[in-house]
Amino acid sequence: VYQPYHMFGFAGIFNTDIIDYVNFSSGGFSSQYGNRLSSVIDLRAKSEAPDKFSGSGSLSLLSTRLTLDGQLDKHWYYMVSGRRTYLDHATQFGKFMGWIPETIPYRFQDGMAKVIYQANAEHQFGFSAFGSSDNFQDKDKSTLYATNFVDYSTIKLPYSLNTKRKFQWDNAVFNGHWEFKNENGFLSRLTVFQSRATNDLGINVYYTPNKDASDSIRHVVDSLNAIPDPNPFAIDNQVLDRTVRWDMEYELHNDHKLLIGGEFNRIQLSYYWDNLFVEANAGDNYQVFFDAAPDSFTYRRLVYNYAAYLEDIWSLNDQWTVKPGIRIESFGHSKSSIVVSPRVAIRYDLNERLAFKAATGIYYQSLFNSREKGYVGFLEIPFSTSGMKLQKSIHYILGAEYFLNRDSKFTGDIYYKHASNLSRNRRATSNTPVFIKGESDAYGMELTWKRLGKKFSYEINYVLAYVTRTFENLTYNTNYDQRHALSFIGNYLLPAHWSFDFRWVFTSGRAYRPASFSAPYYYFNPSEGQLYGGDYNNDARTIEFDNLNFYGRYPVYHRLDISFVKTIEFKKWTLKPYINIINTYYKSNPLYYQDQGTDKAIISNKPDPQYVQIRKRAPIGIPIVPSFGAHFEF
C-alpha cells in the first residue's frame, strides 16, 4: 500500500476492526521482506470468525464504521468492512449554527471485502479487495466588476466567476491467494495482487449568470465558458504495482524450519502536472511531491523486480534461536543488476525472565522519495533508481527483554543504520529532476515498559534518535531527525463498568529546512579596511533557500487525548458509549509553517545565528476536538 494514511499522515487507512495481528520490524527484519531500507509493517486481516456471524462498529460525531464477518458453513468465510468520516457535514452544520466561522470540505472513507473458500483440510483459496479515498473539494464565488474609464467608477456585472477545487488521493488493492498445507509440516502460499495509488488535483473555473440575468447575458456567459482556460491546472499521479509471490514453509525436524520463496513485481510510475505555480501562486517555495517541484512535470518509468529468499529458523536448544537468511534480488535497469543480502538474527533466553537478542543485515531498495523541505510528509511519490546505483543500508541491532512478572515486561534496543546511495533532488530549472547521491546515519535506542493490571494497565515508550544525511560533503539534520519521543498510554477501570483511557505524547522539535531566509547586506571597504553592514530591520534581503548548512527546528510537541468509556453487556451484544477529547489542554502544536514575511524572524542555530534569520512562519495545528459516540460488538 503506497499511501497508507488519511488526513495528511495523521490517521491510518486501516479500520482496526479488520486487523488480526500486526508485525512491526523497526530494523534487522527477515529475508522474507525486500525492497525496503529501514523497516516493515506486516499487517494481516481477519481470516476466520469465532461464530457463524459477528460484527462490530461505532458511531460518533465525526465518523461511522461497521465490520461484519461470519462463516456460511465450514467451507466459506466472508468479511466486509467500511468506514467514513463526515467532517464536511459536521462543520457545515457547525457553521450554520454559528459555532464555527468556516467549514472543512474534507472527508475520507475506506473499506475492505474478503472471501475465503476452504476446499478441504489441505487447500484454501481467498480473494480480498481494499480501497481508500481522501477528498478535499471546495468552491467559491467572486463578484465581477467592470471599470468605467471615463470617471473610473466600477459597475457590478450580472454574472460571477466560480472556482471549484478538488484534491483526491486513493488506494485500490486486489489480492488472490492459494494456500496448500499438509500434515508433514509443509505449507505453500501463492499470492497474486495489484496495488494502485493515485492522487489528482484539478481547478475548474467557470462563470454563472445572476438569477435575474437576461437571455443575452446568459448567452454571454455560455460564450465565456466555451473559451478554454489558457492556464489549466491539473495533477494526475499514479503508482501501479502488480506482483506474484510464492512463499513456502517446511519443518525439517524439531530443530529446523525452512522459509523459502520468491516474487516478481512490475511497478509502473506515471506522474504528470501542469501549471502548478500559475494557479498555486506559490513560486519556488511550493513543495508537495518532491523538493523544488517544477511548474510542469512528466515522469514515466516501468520497473521490473525479481527476488528469491531462503531462511532457516534454527532452535539449538531451549535457550538459543538463530535465524540466518539470504535474499537475492534483481532490480531492472539499475547499475547493480543482481544483489545479495545476507541477514541473521539471534535470540538467547538466559532464563524465563531475561532474554537477549541481536540482528544485522544488508538491505536494498529500488524506489525512493526526494522530499526534505516540505511542510507535512504526505503524498510522497516514489522515484525509480533506474540508471543509478541502488540504495543500500546496513543494520546493527542489540536488544533485551525482561519480565518482572507475568504482567510486566521491559524491552530495550539500541541500533545503528548506515545508508548509502541515497538520492535527493537538486534544485533545477528544467522539468526533469536532477538527483544527487548521498548517505545517512541513524542511531539511537528504544525503551518500552508494559504493565497489565487488574484495574490499571499502561505502556510507556521512549525513543532517543539521531538522523543525519551527507550530500556534497555537507552533513546536516533532516526532517526525520527528532531527538526525543515519549508516550504514555493507559487504561484505568472505574466503578460501574466505566473506564478511563488516555494517551499523552511528548516529542522534541524535529528538524526542517525552510524555503527561504533573511540576511543583512555586508560589504568591505578596502580603502578604510572596514566591514559595513545593516541590521535585519533596515537593510535585509530575502534569499532563496537551498543551503544544507542551515536548518531550523519545530518547537516541542506535546498533546493529551482522553476518553471515558461505559461497557454495557447484553445477551450477545456489547455496547460501549464513550466521550473523548483530542488535545485536551489545547496545546497549540504547529503541524507545519507558512511563510509570513520577515518580521520577528526565527533565528537558526547553524552555523551562526548572527548572520541568518529564517522567515517567520505562522503555526497551523490541531485544535481541541471533543466528540462522543458508541462502539458496539455482537
Side-chain angles (χ1 to χ4, degrees), residues 106-171:
Y106 168 75
R107 70 179 186 272
F108 72 73
Q109 53 269 333
D110 53 62
M112 183 175 186
K114 185 174 185 177
V115 177
I116 291 179
Y117 174 62
Q118 190 73 45
N120 49 47
E122 294 184 337
H123 295 274
Q124 180 191 95
F125 302 88
F127 175 80
S128 65
F130 172 82
S132 71
S133 177
D134 287 66
N135 190 293
F136 274 89
Q137 187 167 323
D138 71 336
K139 59 183 178 180
D140 55 52
K141 188 175 185 179
S142 302
T143 302
L144 298 178
Y145 295 89
T147 302
N148 187 326
F149 292 98
V150 177
D151 56 8
Y152 299 101
S153 61
T154 57
I155 302 173
K156 182 179 178 180
L157 295 178
Y159 52 88
S160 303
L161 177 65
N162 300 268
T163 303
K164 186 176 182 180
R165 307 173 188 86
K166 181 181 180 181
F167 192 8
Q168 182 171 333
W169 62 96
D170 305 295
N171 290 282

Side-chain angles (χ1 to χ4, degrees), residues 114-390:
K114 185 174 185 177
V115 177
I116 291 179
Y117 174 62
Q118 190 73 45
N120 49 47
E122 294 184 337
H123 295 274
Q124 180 191 95
F125 302 88
F127 175 80
S128 65
F130 172 82
S132 71
S133 177
D134 287 66
N135 190 293
F136 274 89
Q137 187 167 323
D138 71 336
K139 59 183 178 180
D140 55 52
K141 188 175 185 179
S142 302
T143 302
L144 298 178
Y145 295 89
T147 302
N148 187 326
F149 292 98
V150 177
D151 56 8
Y152 299 101
S153 61
T154 57
I155 302 173
K156 182 179 178 180
L157 295 178
Y159 52 88
S160 303
L161 177 65
N162 300 268
T163 303
K164 186 176 182 180
R165 307 173 188 86
K166 181 181 180 181
F167 192 8
Q168 182 171 333
W169 62 96
D170 305 295
N171 290 282
V173 182
F174 301 94
N175 179 302
H177 77 266
W178 165 44
E179 184 175 282
F180 169 80
K181 59 182 177 180
N182 60 26
E183 297 178 351
N184 299 323
F186 176 77
L187 184 147
S188 170
R189 185 181 182 94
L190 177 66
T191 307
V192 179
F193 74 83
Q194 173 179 291
S195 176
R196 181 173 62 91
T198 61
N199 56 72
D200 61 86
L201 193 157
I203 294 181
N204 184 23
V205 178
Y206 59 96
Y207 297 88
T208 56
N210 295 345
K211 293 182 179 180
D212 55 351
S214 63
D215 291 341
S216 60
I217 293 299
R218 295 180 186 275
H219 179 72
V220 170
V221 170
D222 292 339
S223 300
L224 291 173
N225 288 330
I227 300 174
D229 188 347
N231 296 306
F233 176 41
I235 291 176
D236 186 6
N237 298 329
Q238 176 177 275
V239 179
L240 181 62
D241 184 339
R242 290 171 174 163
T243 295
V244 178
R245 181 182 175 96
W246 189 17
D247 300 278
M248 292 176 288
E249 298 180 10
Y250 183 60
E251 298 273 359
L252 287 179
H253 46 75
N254 294 332
D255 296 337
H256 291 272
K257 181 180 181 180
L258 286 181
L259 306 179
I260 307 171
E263 67 179 289
F264 162 76
N265 66 319
R266 175 189 184 274
I267 303 175
Q268 174 72 60
L269 308 176
S270 177
Y271 310 139
Y272 163 81
W273 59 78
D274 196 17
N275 292 308
L276 185 64
F277 300 141
V278 172
E279 292 293 343
N281 192 27
D284 289 337
N285 294 346
Y286 194 69
Q287 302 117 21
V288 176
F289 308 109
F290 64 96
D291 287 347
D295 177 52
S296 298
F297 182 71
T298 300
Y299 184 90
R300 300 282 189 272
R301 292 292 187 278
L302 182 60
V303 182
Y304 295 95
N305 300 327
Y306 307 83
Y309 71 87
L310 172 64
E311 184 169 289
D312 179 20
I313 302 177
W314 182 17
S315 301
L316 280 76
N317 48 47
D318 293 336
Q319 291 183 301
W320 288 93
T321 302
V322 182
K323 298 180 181 179
I326 189 170
R327 187 177 182 89
I328 302 173
E329 296 170 290
S330 174
F331 300 100
H333 307 297
S334 66
K335 287 189 176 181
S336 303
S337 57
I338 298 178
V339 293
V340 179
S341 307
R343 305 170 190 180
V344 63
I346 302 173
R347 179 185 176 92
Y348 175 67
D349 290 277
L350 181 64
N351 51 49
E352 293 182 352
R353 289 190 173 185
L354 181 62
F356 299 96
K357 52 187 179 178
T360 186
I362 299 176
Y363 305 87
Y364 291 93
Q365 183 170 292
S366 65
L367 299 178
F368 66 92
N369 60 59
S370 178
R371 191 167 169 277
E372 296 182 349
K373 292 183 291 187
Y375 301 132
V376 182
F378 77 106
L379 300 182
E380 295 175 332
I381 57 177
F383 290 91
S384 168
T385 57
S386 297
M388 300 186 291
K389 290 184 178 180
L390 283 172

Side-chain angles (χ1 to χ4, degrees), residues 444-491:
M445 68 176 181
E446 300 178 1
L447 305 176
T448 300
W449 173 260
K450 294 182 181 180
R451 182 184 183 276
L452 297 177
K454 293 182 179 180
K455 298 193 67 174
F456 184 36
S457 300
Y458 61 87
E459 177 178 329
I460 300 175
N461 298 284
Y462 171 72
V463 177
L464 173 67
Y466 295 82
V467 183
T468 61
R469 283 192 169 187
T470 301
F471 281 87
E472 299 180 325
N473 298 320
L474 289 174
T475 300
Y476 61 98
N477 296 98
T478 76
N479 56 340
Y480 303 104
D481 184 80
Q482 189 170 58
R483 190 73 63 246
H484 305 280
L486 176 67
S487 66
F488 185 18
I489 305 169
N491 168 268

